[in-house]
Amino acid sequence: MAPAPDSGGPLFAQIAASLADQIADGGLGEDERIPSTNDLASFHRVNPATAARALTSLVDDGLAEKRRGVGMFVAKGARERLLAARRREFAERYVRPLVVEAARLGLDDEELLALVRDERGAVSLSAGSLP
């Protein structure tokens, strides 16, 4: 059964994000073949043009490369580039606001790190372990 769209943007972007997640998680490795347009369209129950647009998005982002007559493959270094971009986004979206608020509260580096360690420990215990 195809996963339900999460209504978090256009379907092609959701499909591309799902494939990017598989690359980031190591489920799709470097030089590994990516499902074809028709396979993606069938699995996600979308028009093949939508699936093709998702693959084009991955190519545009440097995560996939088209090999004429063979298909789409995960580009060399795609996982590293993707993780680096996600780390930057994580820092901008979460760490910077955290540090700004810590400064407002008068927390020094050691106090902030202690809070982060405590929270990470609480999450690790409740979730079993962090990835």
Side-chain angles (χ1 to χ4, degrees), residues 43-104:
F43 180 78
H44 292 283
R45 297 183 184 158
V46 296
N47 186 300
T50 300
R53 193 164 175 202
L55 292 174
T56 298
S57 176
L58 292 180
V59 171
D60 292 346
D61 291 342
L63 301 178
E65 60 187 20
K66 187 174 190 174
R67 296 184 187 162
R68 192 173 196 118
V70 184
M72 276 302 177
F73 291 80
V74 176
K76 290 189 186 321
R79 183 170 190 266
E80 293 77 22
R81 284 191 304 280
L82 182 59
L83 292 177
R86 287 184 175 188
R87 284 184 188 108
R88 283 190 304 275
E89 181 182 330
F90 177 79
E92 292 170 9
R93 189 172 192 183
Y94 300 104
V95 177
R96 186 170 293 131
L98 174 75
V99 170
V100 168
E101 186 62 19
R104 285 186 187 129

